Amino acid sequence: MPKDRPELPPVEELLTSAVTALGGVERPGQVKMAQAVRDAIESEEHLAVQAGTGTGKSLAYLVPAIRHAAESGDAVVVSTATIALQRQLVDRDLPRLADALESLLPHRPEFAILKGRRNYLCRHKMAAGMPEDEDDQLFDPREVSATGRMVQRIQEWANETETGDRDEIVPGVSDQAWRQFSVTARECLGAQRCPSGADCFAELARERAGAADVVVTNHALLAIDAMEDFAVLPEHDVVVVDEAHELVDRVTSVVTGELSESTVSLAVRRAGRLIEQGVADRLQEAGEDLRALLAVAPPGRVDTLPGSLGMTLALVRDAAFACITALGPRNKDKDDPENAGLRKAAFTALDEVHDTAQRMLDAFGPGARGDEAGDDAEDAGDSRGSAGSGGGANGGGVNSGGTDARSEEVHRAEVVWLEEGRGRVPPTLRVAPLSVGGMLRDKLFGDRTVVLTSATLALGGSFDSLSRQWGLRAGEWTGLDVGSPFDHPRRGILYVATHLPQPGRDGLPEAYVDEIAELIEAAGGRTLGLFSSMRAAKAATEALRERLDVPLLCQGDDSTSQLVKQFAGDPATCLFGTLSLWQGVDVPGPSLTLVIIDRIPFPRPDDPLASARQRHVAATGGNGFMAVAATHAALLLAQGAGRLLRSMDDRGVVAVLDPRLATARYSGFLLNSLPPFWRTTDPAKVRDALRRLTAGS
């Protein structure tokens, strides 16, 4: 401890003061978690903590984090997966906690929220009036008019805002409108070169974060900070990853590259203003070749690189490199900020196209790299899109003869797949790592202490599944389950409908619809229906609206937040939906008595990344199904079942209609991932229990 800092109260005393000031009740699991977080920080050992709903885990990690910041003078970074939790921490938990601890610490704890640069208004882009990237002819007049109204609202708001944070704009604006006023980190000129650098909203947010004890951010920005060469977050030696079950997916999204007609056209429009037309036309023609090829290719994983696709990727890569070369030195216009902004935007788009095309070729091994020009081109784009690339093959969609590396399954590094176009979104090639564990191990866990927490981390009763995905090795971390204050066996029932047939691929079986109707009637509404697909959710909604007398909402009828508000406000109402409802609904009280899950949420068999990862595990001697598909299902099941009990007074039923949860060989792993509800397979007992709950509410 620095000599000029006073002795601080122990974590236990600070926690007691905080809980008392906030009007809460200190729970054994909360105290145990706070002590474990303190010990992890002091021993510099990574910690994974499962803390069930109601534990008060936010206080359990914030109190030792703030104490460490006060003692060391270094900030602690708290990373979340959702905006909702960020807002809860910044708008509610941290202000109240700062008030509670101010008299016990050397200074009032300071906190700040920090988002990616594209979330802040760019004063320079607004003042310079840089041309729009969008091609207006892609949009119908109504969309253009709506965008114009949003642009006007942004301009009016820009004269009033003190933070430049997009989230201040209510109602929100479209990405298309916002892009006209924002830049990514790679497009930014930098505070020293930008004429508006002294007043930059993003830089001001960074300054506030630099002076804070606790910096709240998101998993995506945490990944960018860890993996890029430039620092995004202030100096810190401790990271708390809340909603840690989402970490791998969020990091994977950050390092996923994409290539389509749209990404190439964007690069052409940006570069075409600054270089000879003939050079830009070459990239435009390569993009048109890519569009034509992808338009007739079947979507899915690309196991074998067809010669036509390899040639087209090489053409796109080399044409992008020619444009980069034509732009000249990157710092050419350092004394001309307006032109420098246009050039930086062009370089960013061209780098993305070049690096992603090269990365996709690299994914199939040296034989797929294209001609010699590709070797020279490697140096042009700073290899910024190449995280995790190299040395492997991928996974089946564009099928014809070509480079095939399936025989080298063990050495695969990345997966390439084609997503079909939807509406005005063209078919898109994507590339992502088979695993981000190595990146996390080297970049995130390497030189700082990381605490990972969630209500759902111990799958099958063990932290091993997720720790492997994080890249942590035995002896480098400690796992702790502090339990939940809820009395699950007395408060909840887990019902598995073993009398129903196994779910098939032909939609929702009629027997499932009948079962859902009987359960909802017994519950008097009060039902959250979690479905494995939107198709199933809509089919159930349509069938049951004709049979039931209770209001039935379906995801897509309105904004999800509005639907949840309606659902929570009327106990007779039911809400059906898919993935975002599995994790995003917090409705305590009598409005939610029954959670129905239609089937075990395995990833789709044609999911390119999951299927490639599963095959890779099998090729290395592991159980691919358990390591990937079952782990994915266990995580979602636990999250879905966790919607039932949200307060100490809640009671109800989680009904899983898929009989495999009780009969399949992997059922034990899945059941051990769920809260310890009382279990039954008897539908009559469940309906009776629901009727009693309804009558007593």
Side-chain angles (χ1 to χ4, degrees):
M1 181 188 302
K3 292 181 180 179
D4 59 341
R5 294 186 182 274
E7 187 79 21
L8 299 180
V11 162
E12 293 85 354
E13 181 181 335
L14 294 174
L15 181 62
T16 298
S17 298
V19 172
T20 301
L22 271 57
V25 177
E26 198 169 80
R27 307 190 188 284
Q30 185 182 55
V31 175
K32 190 174 182 180
M33 178 175 172
Q35 292 169 336
V37 173
R38 173 203 61 199
D39 294 345
I41 293 173
E42 291 178 353
S43 64
E44 300 182 351
E45 182 179 54
H46 306 308
L47 172 69
V49 186
Q50 176 165 285
T53 304
T55 301
K57 64 181 170 64
S58 295
L59 279 185
Y61 64 68
L62 286 174
V63 167
I66 288 173
R67 186 184 187 281
H68 171 71
E71 185 176 65
S72 67
D74 295 325
V76 172
V77 170
V78 175
S79 177
T80 76
T82 61
I83 293 175
L85 182 53
Q86 286 181 39
R87 296 259 58 103
Q88 175 188 315
L89 291 172
V90 172
D91 295 340
R92 191 186 73 181
D93 294 350
L94 281 165
R96 297 165 69 195
L97 186 55
D99 290 341
L101 299 183
E102 181 174 9
S103 63
L104 301 173
L105 297 174
H107 65 269
R108 176 183 170 82
E110 299 291 335
F111 55 90
I113 188 169
L114 187 60
K115 305 176 184 178
R117 189 170 291 270
R118 69 172 66 218
N119 291 282
Y120 299 98
L121 179 80
C122 175
R123 291 187 186 273
H124 173 56
K125 190 168 187 177
M126 184 175 179
M130 296 182 188
E132 299 177 29
D133 288 326
E134 284 72 24
D135 187 347
D136 286 343
Q137 66 184 357
L138 293 177
F139 305 96
D140 64 37
R142 287 173 298 179
E143 290 176 329
V144 172
S145 177
T147 300
R149 289 193 294 272
M150 290 180 187
V151 166
Q152 184 175 356
R153 283 205 294 122
I154 295 172
Q155 291 171 330
E156 293 170 353
W157 164 79
N159 294 323
E160 305 170 354
T161 180
E162 296 181 0
T163 67
D165 188 335
R166 176 182 177 178
D167 285 344
E168 286 184 1
I169 307 175
V170 179
V173 296
S174 68
D175 289 343
Q176 181 194 353
W178 182 251
R179 276 197 297 268
Q180 299 178 41
F181 299 90
S182 66
V183 296
T184 66
R186 293 177 182 173
E187 293 168 338
C188 177
L189 289 174
Q192 301 303 316
R193 296 178 61 195
C194 179
S196 302
D199 300 315
C200 174
F201 286 121
E203 291 298 322
L204 291 173
R206 287 193 66 196
E207 287 180 17
R208 288 192 293 270
D213 297 292
V214 177
V215 179
V216 179
T217 187
N218 56 65
H219 294 351
L221 195 63
L222 181 69
I224 292 170
D225 179 72
M227 295 173 190
E228 293 284 6
D229 293 332
F230 52 89
V232 178
L233 298 169
E235 286 290 326
H236 59 281
D237 60 353
V238 174
V239 176
V240 178
V241 181
D242 203 341
E243 301 173 307
H245 62 279
E246 295 255 32
L247 180 62
V248 168
D249 285 346
R250 299 302 172 107
V251 173
T252 300
S253 295
V254 168
V255 296
T256 295
E258 66 175 53
L259 194 62
S260 69
E261 170 196 1
S262 296
T263 57
V264 176
S265 294
L266 172 63
V268 171
R269 288 197 297 275
R270 288 184 175 181
R273 306 170 184 135
L274 303 169
I275 62 176
E276 292 183 7
Q277 190 63 45
V279 181
D281 286 346
R282 180 181 165 192
L283 180 57
Q284 181 68 46
E285 291 167 1
E288 291 171 356
D289 289 345
L290 181 67
R291 177 189 63 190
L293 183 63
L294 299 185
V296 298
R301 209 177 61 229
V302 184
D303 279 319
T304 300
L305 180 67
S308 57
L309 179 58
M311 183 180 299
T312 302
L313 288 173
L315 286 173
V316 170
R317 175 201 63 195
D318 296 345
F321 177 59
C323 292
I324 291 170
T325 302
L327 280 172
R330 292 180 184 257
N331 61 352
K332 175 181 176 182
D333 296 294
K334 60 182 179 179
D335 297 324
D336 182 0
E338 181 173 344
N339 201 41
L342 294 173
R343 284 169 49 78
K344 188 70 179 287
F347 273 122
T348 299
L350 290 167
D351 286 341
E352 187 67 25
V353 169
H354 170 274
D355 293 352
T356 303
Q358 183 64 58
R359 184 177 164 189
M360 289 174 175
L361 290 168
D362 287 345
F364 291 92
R369 290 171 60 86
D371 57 27
E372 291 82 357
D375 296 329
D376 297 331
E378 278 192 0
D379 296 328
D382 298 334
S383 301
R384 284 194 299 235
S386 302
S389 67
N394 312 313
V398 188
N399 298 313
S400 66
T403 302
D404 184 356
R406 282 177 292 183
S407 61
E408 298 184 15
E409 182 76 47
V410 172
H411 303 293
R412 293 185 174 191
E414 297 208 285
V415 186
V416 176
W417 72 94
L418 175 63
E419 285 188 3
E420 63 182 335
R422 290 184 176 85
R424 294 187 178 90
V425 179
T428 301
L429 273 176
R430 298 188 187 277
V431 57
L434 268 172
S435 169
V436 296
M439 297 180 203
L440 290 173
R441 175 181 170 78
D442 294 341
K443 304 294 186 178
L444 177 61
F445 298 112
D447 56 0
R448 56 181 62 86
T449 301
V450 181
V451 175
L452 306 111
T453 186
S454 168
T456 310
L457 292 181
L459 303 179
S462 168
F463 292 89
D464 291 347
S465 294
L466 288 181
S467 68
R468 283 193 294 267
Q469 293 184 15
W470 297 328
L472 290 175
R473 297 172 181 167
E476 297 176 335
W477 63 283
T478 299
L480 174 66
D481 183 355
V482 299
S484 167
F486 298 152
D487 188 350
H488 286 92
R490 293 181 178 273
R491 288 283 173 179
I493 297 173
L494 174 64
Y495 163 55
V496 183
T498 53
H499 64 284
L500 293 179
Q502 288 192 16
R505 297 184 179 180
D506 300 325
L508 200 65
E510 186 64 28
Y512 281 43
V513 177
D514 294 339
E515 184 78 15
I516 294 171
E518 292 175 357
L519 290 168
I520 290 177
E521 287 174 343
R526 310 168 188 269
T527 300
L528 176 66
L530 303 177
F531 293 84
S532 55
S533 70
M534 186 55 70
R535 177 186 172 191
K538 289 181 176 179
T541 302
E542 292 172 5
L544 292 169
R545 275 177 175 162
E546 301 175 358
R547 297 175 54 172
L548 299 174
D549 294 329
V550 298
L552 213 168
L553 308 174
C554 185
Q555 195 172 3
D557 291 347
D558 203 335
S559 69
T560 299
S561 60
Q562 185 61 34
L563 290 173
V564 172
K565 184 177 180 180
Q566 287 180 250
F567 173 59
D570 179 13
T573 299
C574 300
L575 173 59
F576 289 180
T578 185
L579 188 60
S580 62
L581 297 187
W582 287 73
Q583 305 183 75
V585 176
D586 186 5
V587 180
S591 290
L592 204 172
T593 301
L594 172 63
V595 175
I596 294 177
I597 296 174
D598 71 326
R599 64 190 297 162
I600 297 172
F602 293 119
R604 289 174 46 174
D606 60 353
D607 181 288
L609 200 49
S611 59
R613 286 172 170 170
Q614 187 168 324
R615 193 173 65 175
H616 176 75
V617 171
T620 55
N623 187 323
F625 172 79
M626 293 301 296
V628 179
T631 295
H632 176 276
L635 192 55
L636 272 181
L637 273 177
Q639 287 287 310
R643 299 310 95 200
L644 181 65
L645 303 184
R646 308 302 296 177
S647 73
M648 297 299 290
D649 296 326
D650 287 349
R651 294 185 296 171
V653 173
V654 174
V656 181
L657 308 185
D658 190 339
R660 294 175 296 177
L661 184 59
T663 61
R665 68 185 186 282
Y666 48 78
S667 62
F669 175 77
L670 299 181
L671 288 169
N672 287 335
S673 304
L674 298 177
F677 297 119
W678 184 78
R679 298 175 186 173
T680 184
T681 59
D682 187 334
K685 287 184 178 179
V686 169
R687 290 194 294 268
D688 287 344
L690 287 170
R691 292 188 189 102
R692 289 195 299 271
L693 287 174
T694 302
S697 62

